[in-house]
Amino acid sequence: MRFLIIIPAHNEEENLPFTLDSLQQQSFKDFKTVIVNDGSTDKTQEVIRKYTGQDSRFETVDLQKSSHQPGSKVVHAFKNGLKTRNINEFDIICKFDADIILPENYLETIQNAFKHNPEYGLVGGLLYVEKQGAWVYEGNSNRHHVRGPVKAYRKECFIQMGGIRETLGWDNMDSILLENLNWREIVLPELQVKLIKVKGADYTIRPADYYGRYFYFLGLNRFLAYIAASKEAAKSQSVSFFFSIIKAYEACKTEKLELKISKDEQKAINAQRWKTLRKKWLKI
């Protein structure tokens, strides 16, 4: 099986070498990597040139800096990288971040998982961050969800679900869409990926605005959006946080901002959310 790996990178001169070194050290060698330089103003381009100059498996695309919102920004860069290759020449499509360190058996293990399990549509490892000199599980999501920095899709699944969407919430949206198409999302806990930089560090959007916009672009109806907002407010133990999230959500609805999902996909996302709500909270 052949891998196509797309890595969006913006001002990653310090982190990117670790990521690309870990790819060169993979036990599985049959992959092509496209690094998308998204308007970097540091020495990211020089770092990329070092690898493209010595290893034919690495290519690059240069973009003007994306001004898109968090979430859609990285997908915009990813899609520009994807355009440079014919995905029919590959079996596995990966969206990796520019600040991860993969274990040497990462691609080999992912390939074996896809090869022996035809129902697998999305596979990845777990993210670990450094705290007080030790690498510990990030814990930013449940252990059954493949996080954004380490997405690996079976090509057929990727095509069927229409790729990943250029919108806030894409990271969870893909999970719901592929499940609706009867593909499985699988996390392999033995694959421990080191995440060098904490996600969200570059975002300037306020947390309440983020959640409100996220729930809107995920396509949640008003009832489910309000339930989700109440859960986030409960975590923060702040009633005002709930109302701030709702304000942001309602502002998006008033403006009728474009969704990157179809009506049928929106129905599927709401149905899945409602199913999870009944199972987890209402015990139905």
Side-chain angles (χ1 to χ4, degrees):
M1 303 182 83
R2 292 199 70 205
F3 284 75
L4 173 59
I5 302 168
I6 311 294
I7 303 178
H10 173 69
N11 288 348
E12 295 285 2
E13 65 171 309
E14 295 183 0
N15 301 321
L16 186 58
F18 292 101
T19 302
L20 301 185
D21 283 347
S22 71
L23 280 172
Q24 287 188 319
Q25 294 164 9
Q26 290 296 301
S27 56
F28 185 86
K29 307 296 185 182
D30 195 4
F31 63 87
K32 176 70 73 174
T33 300
V34 180
I35 308 117
V36 184
N37 180 18
D38 190 11
S40 298
T41 56
D42 63 357
K43 296 181 180 179
T44 294
Q45 188 176 48
E46 295 178 25
V47 171
I48 296 173
R49 192 179 298 120
K50 171 187 172 184
Y51 289 86
T52 57
Q54 67 181 18
D55 193 329
S56 62
R57 295 174 300 176
F58 294 90
E59 298 179 357
T60 187
V61 175
D62 287 312
L63 302 179
Q64 297 295 320
K65 183 180 178 181
S66 172
S67 60
H68 296 270
Q69 291 291 334
S72 63
K73 176 181 185 295
V74 70
V75 178
H76 176 76
F78 170 85
K79 286 188 172 183
N80 275 275
L82 195 64
K83 291 176 184 176
T84 67
R85 306 297 302 182
N86 179 2
I87 66 171
N88 291 321
E89 298 176 356
F90 301 90
D91 304 289
I92 302 169
I93 311 298
C94 299
K95 181 268 169 197
F96 289 165
D97 276 8
D99 55 1
I100 58 174
I101 302 175
L102 302 168
E104 292 183 6
N105 66 335
Y106 194 85
L107 298 184
E108 181 179 4
T109 305
I110 293 291
Q111 188 232 200
N112 289 334
F114 279 123
K115 185 176 181 180
H116 298 296
N117 301 278
E119 73 279 15
Y120 286 7
L122 171 60
V123 180
L126 288 178
L127 296 178
Y128 282 68
V129 295
E130 189 174 16
K131 290 185 178 179
Q132 298 178 343
W135 290 93
V136 299
Y137 172 55
E138 183 197 28
N140 196 30
S141 181
N142 69 63
R143 288 177 177 263
H144 304 290
H145 173 56
V146 180
R147 298 271 280 118
V150 289
K151 300 274 191 180
Y153 303 89
R154 187 186 297 272
K155 178 187 65 180
E156 291 79 7
C157 172
F158 185 83
I159 292 173
Q160 282 186 31
M161 59 183 272
I164 56 180
R165 310 306 167 88
E166 196 173 324
T167 184
L168 198 63
W170 72 271
D171 185 13
N172 291 306
M173 189 180 293
D174 64 344
S175 301
I176 300 171
L177 294 177
L178 68 88
E179 180 182 340
N180 189 52
L181 293 167
N182 296 316
W183 292 99
R184 292 188 64 191
E185 175 185 18
I186 299 295
V187 173
L188 303 176
E190 69 272 23
L191 292 180
Q192 299 182 4
V193 179
K194 295 175 180 178
L195 179 63
I196 305 172
K197 186 173 62 178
V198 177
K199 295 296 99 180
D202 296 333
Y203 292 176
T204 57
I205 187 172
R206 295 190 308 121
D209 290 338
Y210 173 89
Y211 283 115
R213 294 175 65 86
Y214 166 60
F215 297 147
Y216 174 80
F217 285 111
L218 193 58
L220 297 187
N221 62 40
R222 184 173 275 111
F223 174 75
L224 290 174
Y226 280 39
I227 292 294
S230 66
K231 289 169 59 179
E232 295 302 327
K235 293 178 186 178
S236 301
Q237 297 182 332
S238 170
V239 174
S240 63
F241 192 50
F242 168 81
F243 287 108
S244 295
I245 295 174
I246 295 305
K247 181 180 179 181
Y249 172 82
E250 293 293 348
C252 291
K253 288 186 73 70
T254 299
E255 295 178 40
K256 296 181 180 180
L257 299 180
E258 179 188 5
L259 297 179
K260 300 296 184 179
I261 51 177
S262 68
K263 291 290 185 182
D264 287 340
E265 289 171 337
Q266 189 174 0
K267 289 179 181 178
I269 289 171
N270 279 277
Q272 195 272 352
R273 279 288 180 127
W274 177 239
K275 178 181 177 181
T276 300
L277 178 67
R278 288 187 300 170
K279 182 178 180 181
K280 187 174 182 179
W281 300 102
L282 303 180
K283 309 297 182 183
I284 299 177

